[in-house]
Amino acid sequence: MDCVEVCPVDCFYEGENMLVIHPDECIDCAACEPECPVEAIKPEIEDEPDSKWLIINTEYSKVWPNITRMKEPPADHKEFALKTDKFAKYFSPNPGTGD
């Protein structure tokens, strides 16, 4: 959750087990990218307007609560970082708690 702490525009939104970035609020400063320990944050590619992640970020940032402060990561975050195919196997559409 270090990425949330460095975001100058508070464009992160919290799901039950994932964060998303509101693409229209993000200013593409890239401050969050090096803070993500699992390297999940990638720059938006202009020529891919229908990319899976852009669609997911757009959809869920409209319905999940905003998160502006770093929280403790889940207890199993180190083990979870090593898992593969996380979105297909573990994604929850449920909102998180936000701030």
Side-chain angles (χ1 to χ4, degrees), residues 25-93:
E25 294 175 0
C26 178
I27 59 172
D28 299 319
C29 69
C32 59
E33 290 176 34
E35 298 301 321
C36 182
V38 293
E39 300 176 1
I41 303 172
K42 306 289 183 206
E44 183 179 337
I45 300 171
E46 296 298 328
D47 61 350
E48 292 187 34
D50 295 326
S51 76
K52 170 186 171 180
W53 293 112
L54 181 58
I55 292 168
I56 289 166
N57 278 275
T58 301
E59 179 180 336
Y60 288 99
S61 64
K62 292 177 183 175
V63 295
W64 286 351
N66 189 236
I67 180 170
T68 61
R69 286 178 266 176
M70 185 170 72
K71 296 180 179 181
E72 288 295 319
D76 64 346
H77 74 278
K78 289 181 181 176
E79 295 83 19
F80 197 74
L82 302 174
K83 295 186 184 291
T84 59
D85 204 17
K86 290 179 237 184
F87 186 78
K89 294 178 182 176
Y90 305 104
F91 174 74
S92 169

